[in-house]
Amino acid sequence: MSTSVPSPHPAGRARPALPSAGAPAGRGPAGDARHRRAGSWRNNRLAYAMVAPAFLFMLMVHLVPMLQGIAMSFLQLNQFTLRRFLRAPFVGLANYRSVLFDPENPVRAGLAIAARNTAIFSAVVTLLVLATGLGVALLMNRNFRGRALVRTLMLLPWVVPSYVVGILWSFMWHRDTGIINRILVDWLHLLPEKPFWLMGPNTIWAIILPTVWRSWPYVFIVFLAALQTIPGELYEAAAIDGAGPWRRFRHITLPLLRPAIAIQLLFQIIQSVYAFNIVVMMFGNGSGYAGEWGDLLMIAIQRQSFQSWLFGYGAAASVLLMLAMMGVVALWYRIFRQELIIR
Amino acid sequence: MTPQAWKRVHNALLTLLTALVVVATLFPIAWMVLSSLQSTADLQLGQISLANPRWENYRQMWANVRFGVYLRNSLIISGITTLTACAFATLAGYALARFRFRGADLFSMAVLSTQMIPGIMFLLPIYFIFLWIRQTFGLPMVNTYWGMILIYTAFFTPMSIWIMRGFFAAIPHELEEAALIDGATLFGAFWRVILPLSAPGLIATGVYIFLNAWDELLFAWVMTSTAEVATIPIGIRLYIGQFQNRYDLLMAAATVTTIPVVVTFLLTQRWFISGMTAGSVKG
């Protein structure tokens, strides 16, 4: 599956101030001090006290509401029963059955379309973000004047708020007056006539590209930092042994980037499956229905829950989505386990 | 071609490619600012020029919506969230990096798992918890600053713990040991020796939290319905409804919204970039 990568820091030497990019920090020799102090009750008390505030907040805003959210998926929760919230009628797995198998249920059809779009969207976005990020990182991984400035400028799209990205791109995608059609058709003559981007099958591209535009700079920065930790001697030695650029990339760069790639891959998948802001702001004056070619799961669930008052369905769909994501993470963990050794 | 000439061509090509990437990356942002300075008529005709920028758009936008109020709300909520989440993340991150305590691994796993829950799942439960708090303790939570700050703090703490933990793990243990030998308490060693050293990490984490809080939309929709506490995205959404085709005004609003985060980023980018790439973070 994977080649085990030697730890970049030889044991016994003090670690550099920054751990290798992308890898969970704290690799290398474990501190003896920690183990010497381990188990002493006084230290533990301090550790518990330090963790307590974060733990309490996470308990209140993550754990308890999540359990209630799971409970909601077993209830008949609609506009008539909402006031009773968790005391609404218990219907067991009925919501799940409707969401998954009920051909009569219009909600299910909508969710199936949204699931298909989300799968395409996530796969394409993740691929494009990682490929662009890696490609540009390789391009910029050389010394040239103004490199620091370029690196900073490249991160700007990532800083722009996502809802601004949605509004800005909906303006740029505009069929008649939008700049994208003007460039493609009026200036470059790549297409015979101006296509619709915000309706019909093109919609999926209209939501993919802004998402990629906003996400890839961050991945690029992480990869660039990882590339700079690779010692130049490795390449020199490989070149002396007669390895060409492709083989050097394949056998030096890629294996050493694997931890960074693994982490970014997971984050990109999670982010794109749960994408919401950009798409919601691009369509319907912020109401967010992108049509059947661009409707995403999170948005469809939000619409079912808060516009159609079908909270039980929404909760069941959310739980199913979360289970699917856990499956993805488990698979990811099995593939990249060696890269994630901490301590 | 001689090798030297070939090398020069090769370098020129790489430079050209770099320039192209930079231009393509920055174009949408430039387009946003440029469009915000045109008249509606010109935008629709596609005549864009910098000959006479219409600053009028900004005045009009500011007068039409209570943009100042939304901006204030976003600044207060995002600002205080940054401080509280940073404090929690620093303490918990240090504990995870330095102490082995029972439940540490479980807590680390919990911290990472929070990132996998779709936000929509706990939106309604939190809303009801807030209503329950109000009924039980008479403390209003929905449509308040502290309600939003509480949610956001909890939201952005887990990822921040992860970043801070990475920073602390990279600081050699010998520093604390020296402080302990000099008679400092464990907490004293953390407070006086380690915390000052992790300042770059703190800045990186703080900026990360601020950008994320500034960007949050879903919870703000449900939890703030009055203009007094609504954040910028909520204001913008109302604005789109009112001025659908006035892209000149919308782009002005978009530009004004982007300025605070871009300025924050530019002021801190030195620490931020090195910080964000040290631990790997959700971007």
Side-chain angles (χ1 to χ4, degrees):
Chain A
M1 282 307 291
S2 77
T3 51
S4 67
V5 182
S7 168
H9 320 301
R13 279 237 314 269
R15 256 175 275 132
L18 289 178
S20 58
R27 292 162 48 159
D32 294 336
R34 189 174 47 223
H35 296 293
R36 247 208 322 273
R37 290 199 238 120
S40 140
W41 184 77
R42 207 177 64 89
N43 300 349
N44 279 349
R45 206 173 49 168
L46 177 64
Y48 286 129
M50 287 175 119
V51 170
F55 180 70
L56 283 176
F57 265 61
M58 280 163 62
L59 204 66
M60 183 167 161
V61 176
H62 285 108
L63 187 69
V64 173
M66 185 187 81
L67 296 176
Q68 290 183 326
I70 294 173
M72 277 164 56
S73 67
F74 301 109
L75 304 175
Q76 189 190 14
L77 210 56
N78 52 32
Q79 68 252 53
F80 308 112
T81 59
L82 186 61
R83 293 201 143 279
R84 290 152 66 192
F85 192 40
L86 292 177
R87 287 186 298 280
F90 180 82
V91 290
L93 292 172
N95 289 328
Y96 290 92
R97 219 179 5 251
S98 312
V99 165
L100 286 172
F101 309 112
D102 182 4
E104 299 293 298
N105 183 353
V107 174
R108 178 182 165 270
L111 285 176
I113 288 172
R116 180 203 65 189
N117 290 338
T118 306
I120 299 171
F121 172 87
S122 303
V124 177
V125 164
T126 304
L127 201 74
L128 283 178
V129 164
L130 291 180
T132 316
L134 183 58
V136 178
L138 290 170
L139 174 70
M140 303 256 173
N141 189 26
R142 48 198 177 93
N143 284 321
F144 59 90
R145 243 202 326 227
R147 200 177 79 175
L149 177 70
V150 165
R151 198 177 63 166
T152 303
L153 289 178
M154 295 297 246
L155 250 191
L156 281 180
W158 184 73
V159 178
V160 175
S162 55
Y163 48 89
V164 168
V165 173
I167 298 167
L168 169 61
W169 281 77
S170 78
F171 169 56
M172 297 199 326
W173 286 125
H174 215 276
R175 178 174 179 258
D176 302 323
T177 58
I179 185 68
I180 294 175
N181 269 352
R182 193 164 297 149
I183 290 173
L184 289 177
V185 181
D186 297 352
W187 299 355
L188 300 179
H189 302 291
L190 289 175
L191 299 165
E193 55 177 27
K194 292 185 173 178
F196 283 100
W197 291 103
L198 296 174
M199 43 207 265
N202 286 338
T203 311
I204 192 88
W205 289 105
I207 60 179
I208 286 173
L209 289 177
T211 310
V212 172
W213 176 72
R214 186 172 186 261
S215 306
W216 78 262
Y218 175 74
V219 175
F220 149 73
I221 293 285
V222 171
F223 286 168
L224 187 61
L227 284 174
Q228 290 179 352
T229 59
I230 300 177
E233 299 93 62
L234 283 179
Y235 291 111
E236 284 154 29
I240 290 167
D241 290 343
W246 166 246
R247 286 188 62 193
R248 288 199 296 256
F249 172 74
R250 174 88 190 67
H251 294 286
I252 300 172
T253 314
L254 266 188
L256 287 170
L257 279 184
R258 259 182 85 98
I261 291 175
I263 300 268
Q264 294 312 314
L265 176 73
L266 182 69
F267 281 145
Q268 282 309 319
I269 292 174
I270 293 178
Q271 259 189 79
S272 45
V273 169
Y274 292 160
F276 184 82
N277 290 13
I278 292 178
V279 180
V280 119
M281 289 307 258
M282 244 165 94
F283 295 91
N285 305 325
S287 71
Y289 181 58
E292 67 165 310
W293 302 97
D295 197 25
L296 297 180
L297 265 175
M298 284 296 281
I299 298 169
I301 293 173
Q302 189 254 353
R303 211 173 38 244
Q304 298 308 345
S305 297
F306 287 89
Q307 287 174 21
S308 318
W309 295 77
L310 298 168
F311 289 101
Y313 285 147
S318 303
V319 172
L320 288 171
L321 182 59
M322 195 167 78
L323 290 175
M325 282 311 289
M326 283 177 174
V328 169
V329 173
L331 184 69
W332 172 87
Y333 186 75
R334 282 198 57 153
I335 296 174
F336 293 105
R337 199 167 21 195
Q338 288 89 348
E339 264 77 314
L340 302 168
I341 296 160
I342 301 175
R343 298 194 182 111
Chain B
M1 221 179 338
T2 61
Q4 263 131 355
W6 172 238
K7 205 173 163 82
R8 218 173 295 143
V9 169
H10 181 77
N11 273 339
L13 279 177
L14 285 182
T15 308
L16 185 70
L17 199 56
T18 307
L20 272 178
V21 171
V22 174
V23 168
T25 306
L26 293 180
F27 174 77
I29 299 176
W31 191 247
M32 172 175 86
V33 178
L34 206 58
S35 304
S36 73
L37 296 170
Q38 313 297 319
S39 71
T40 322
D42 283 349
L43 274 189
Q44 277 172 351
L45 291 171
Q47 295 167 345
I48 294 218
S49 74
L50 266 179
N52 45 354
R54 276 174 54 93
W55 297 104
E56 179 58 30
N57 290 343
Y58 285 82
R59 247 200 307 283
Q60 216 180 330
M61 172 212 76
W62 204 271
N64 279 340
V65 232
R66 302 165 65 200
F67 209 84
V69 176
Y70 297 127
L71 195 64
R72 180 201 68 195
N73 296 339
S74 270
L75 283 171
I76 290 175
I77 291 171
S78 304
I80 297 180
T81 297
T82 303
L83 294 177
T84 47
C86 246
F88 291 174
T90 304
L91 294 171
Y94 185 77
L96 284 180
R98 283 294 196 261
F99 301 122
R100 308 286 292 143
F101 54 96
R102 195 183 305 229
D105 291 343
L106 189 68
F107 183 70
S108 301
M109 282 309 297
V111 163
L112 281 184
S113 340
T114 53
Q115 300 307 300
M116 293 186 30
I117 316 168
I120 193 99
M121 214 164 131
F122 34 65
L123 186 50
L124 194 70
I126 288 179
Y127 187 76
F128 275 98
I129 290 174
F130 275 15
L131 291 185
W132 173 82
I133 289 178
R134 188 182 167 171
Q135 278 167 2
T136 318
F137 305 104
L139 186 69
M141 297 295 285
V142 179
N143 280 326
T144 59
Y145 284 147
W146 58 82
M148 291 300 287
I149 290 166
L150 178 100
I151 294 174
Y152 284 1
T153 300
F155 260 16
F156 305 128
T157 293
M159 218 51 222
S160 312
I161 291 177
W162 211 247
I163 309 172
M164 286 313 291
R165 174 180 166 275
F167 271 101
F168 289 127
I171 297 174
H173 293 273
E174 288 78 18
L175 293 167
E176 280 119 312
E177 280 155 36
L180 291 176
I181 290 165
D182 290 345
T185 58
L186 266 178
F187 188 78
F190 158 73
W191 191 251
R192 276 196 222 91
V193 179
I194 302 300
L195 204 53
L197 282 177
S198 61
L202 262 175
I203 291 173
T205 310
V207 174
Y208 165 80
I209 297 167
F210 186 79
L211 295 185
N212 270 299
W214 195 262
D215 201 45
E216 209 285 328
L217 191 69
L218 182 61
F219 279 72
W221 273 356
V222 175
M223 299 290 172
T224 63
S225 50
T226 62
E228 288 314 311
V229 287
T231 51
I232 291 175
I234 314 307
I236 291 215
R237 197 160 171 238
L238 291 172
Y239 200 55
I240 297 183
Q242 281 174 306
F243 302 91
Q244 305 185 24
N245 298 320
R246 291 297 305 276
Y247 274 110
D248 52 334
L249 300 184
L250 280 179
M251 289 302 123
T255 306
V256 169
T257 308
T258 309
I259 287 169
V261 273
V262 166
V263 168
T264 305
F265 166 70
L266 290 178
L267 288 178
T268 55
Q269 53 97 13
R270 232 182 58 216
W271 303 284
F272 183 66
I273 292 182
S274 64
M276 292 311 267
T277 47
S280 68
V281 178
K282 201 172 107 169

